[in-house]
Structure formats: structure tokens, C-alpha cells
Amino acid sequence: MSVVKINAITVPPDKQARFEERFRGRAGAVETTPGFEWFELLRPLEGTDQYLVYTRWTSQEDYEAWQSSQDFDRAHDGGGDTLASAAPHSAHVWTYEVLEYAGPRVNQENQA
């Protein structure tokens, strides 16, 4: 089963717009990485100021290969951007194994 990495990043309110802008301008190198399955950036709506960066991988080894790659370093160096240090001590990475998953069910009657 897949491995999920969730990076929980606390971003101060005055830096949130720039944080989101930086993600919109990302290079997207992760999408071509072997073993990569999915990426989502989740914005908090209530109850927290933590953004969640969700990635899903075929295996822990694939994630570790990405993490040790030059593309990973380039994606996370900030390019001198002040945003890179917006929340340096408030990021946590959680690891989960996918046990079950489901997608939308296709209604056979609506396919005609």
C-alpha cells in the first residue's frame, strides 16, 4: 500500500498569501519523480493556522529517494525568498500507510 507524508506547517496570518503564492509558482518537479502518486496543499479554514502539504508515494523508499534528490533541495531552498523561513520551527512531517481507500462510485444509470 501507499505511504502518505503530511507536512503540517504553521504560517502566520501576515505570511499566508505569500506562502500560497510560492506554492502556485512551484516547479512541479515532484510530479515526475518515480513513485510519486499525489500532491495537495490544504488551506486551513477554521480552528488552526496550519497548512497541510499532502503527498502520497508508492513506498517509503520512493519518498526517501525524492527527499535526497537535487530536485527536492531546489524545491525547498526558497531561492532566497523570505518565505523560506516563514515558519522554520513549526513544520512537522507525519507518515501514514494507506490501509483502505475509495473513490466516487460510478452510477451505471447515468452512463447511458
Side-chain angles (χ1 to χ4, degrees), residues 39-58:
F39 161 85
E40 290 180 325
L41 174 62
L42 306 176
R43 175 194 297 146
L45 294 179
E46 59 184 69
T48 185
D49 56 357
Q50 283 190 322
Y51 282 74
L52 300 180
V53 181
Y54 172 102
T55 58
R56 192 172 69 211
W57 299 86
T58 301

Side-chain angles (χ1 to χ4, degrees), residues 9-80:
I9 306 167
T10 302
V11 181
D14 63 322
K15 300 200 187 267
Q16 290 177 350
R18 183 68 183 105
F19 179 81
E20 292 176 19
E21 180 183 332
R22 181 165 178 229
F23 265 91
R24 280 191 295 277
R26 65 190 187 81
V30 70
E31 285 94 331
T32 60
T33 302
F36 170 79
E37 295 180 352
W38 199 262
F39 161 85
E40 290 180 325
L41 174 62
L42 306 176
R43 175 194 297 146
L45 294 179
E46 59 184 69
T48 185
D49 56 357
Q50 283 190 322
Y51 282 74
L52 300 180
V53 181
Y54 172 102
T55 58
R56 192 172 69 211
W57 299 86
T58 301
S59 68
Q60 178 68 25
E61 293 76 19
D62 288 327
Y63 172 77
E64 289 171 1
W66 156 249
Q67 195 175 31
S68 64
S69 72
Q70 289 181 350
D71 284 338
F72 178 90
D73 290 342
R74 281 191 291 273
H76 294 86
D77 72 0

